[in-house]
């Protein structure tokens, strides 16, 4: 957990809307799979088409999501990404690049899988987030600024 105690990680996760409703036991499971990482501006966190499955939560800084060469969205503190790959096993839908220096919490796929098994509401919220993002990507595509879905 990169020098943080589990209580501190749990407290940080509780502030993220995706995790705020979790039972404390499930939140502890998620926290056990967490590691914090500093990221420099310009660093790529995930590549479009990649098959890794970790989930990222932004603690500090901003990143941009690029799909098919077009900027789709800017992500900031409290935002998360990686739910498509995590819950559906899909390739990464966008390249995420740090636009500023950042601090992220990386949640391992195995720890998240365990938390999802314990708290089905977490999976439902991740699917809802996935659907909202797909709708946003569709709107971008319809305007001619992104890659087709």
């Amino acid at each position: 957990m990169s020098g943080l105690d589990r209580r501190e990680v749990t407290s940080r996760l509780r502030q993220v809307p995706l995790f705020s409703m979790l039972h404390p036991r499930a939140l502890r499971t998620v926290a056990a799979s967490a590691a914090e990482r500093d990221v420099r501006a310009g660093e790529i966190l995930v590549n479009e088409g990649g098959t890794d499955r970790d989930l990222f939560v932004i603690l500090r800084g901003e990143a941009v999501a690029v799909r098919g060469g077009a900027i789709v969205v800017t992500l900031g503190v409290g935002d998360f990404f990686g739910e498509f790959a995590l819950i559906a096993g899909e390739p990464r839908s966008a390249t995420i690049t740090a636009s500023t220096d950042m601090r992220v919490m990386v949640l391992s796929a195995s720890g998240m899988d365990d938390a999802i098994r314990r708290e089905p509401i977490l999976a439902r919220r991740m699917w809802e987030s996935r659907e909202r993002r797909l709708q946003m990507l569709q709107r971008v595509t319809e305007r001619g600024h992104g890659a087709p879905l």
Side-chain angles (χ1 to χ4, degrees), residues 41-148:
E43 185 177 334
I44 295 173
L45 290 111
V46 299
N47 283 298
E48 184 174 355
T51 58
D52 56 305
R53 294 185 54 235
D54 292 340
L55 181 77
F56 294 79
V57 178
I58 299 174
L59 301 175
R60 183 180 70 236
E62 291 186 342
V64 293
V66 174
R67 180 181 170 119
I71 294 176
V72 177
V73 68
T74 297
L75 302 166
V77 175
D79 287 332
F80 59 92
F81 57 93
E83 72 277 14
F84 287 29
L86 179 67
I87 61 175
E90 297 173 5
R92 297 290 187 178
S93 61
T95 296
I96 309 293
T97 305
S99 52
T100 66
D101 286 347
M102 299 176 68
R103 186 158 187 91
V104 296
M105 188 172 297
V106 183
L107 303 165
S108 75
S110 61
M112 289 300 298
D113 288 342
D114 189 31
I116 288 168
R117 275 191 301 277
R118 291 178 188 217
E119 291 284 338
I121 193 171
L122 179 57
R124 185 170 61 240
R125 298 222 18 205
M126 291 173 72
W127 278 105
E128 290 168 357
S129 169
R130 178 183 182 272
E131 290 307 311
R132 282 190 304 274
R133 290 189 194 201
L134 285 174
Q135 289 171 4
M136 178 195 58
L137 289 171
Q138 184 63 42
R139 284 192 301 272
V140 168
T141 301
E142 289 169 357
R143 289 194 313 254
H145 295 104

Side-chain angles (χ1 to χ4, degrees), residues 1-15 27 31 34 36 59 103 105:
M1 272 190 275
S2 298
L4 292 176
D5 69 31
R6 200 171 281 181
R7 270 195 197 130
E8 187 175 351
V9 173
T10 301
S11 174
R12 287 184 186 199
L13 288 172
R14 176 81 54 210
Q15 296 171 17
L27 197 57
E36 287 195 21
L59 301 175
R103 186 158 187 91
M105 188 172 297

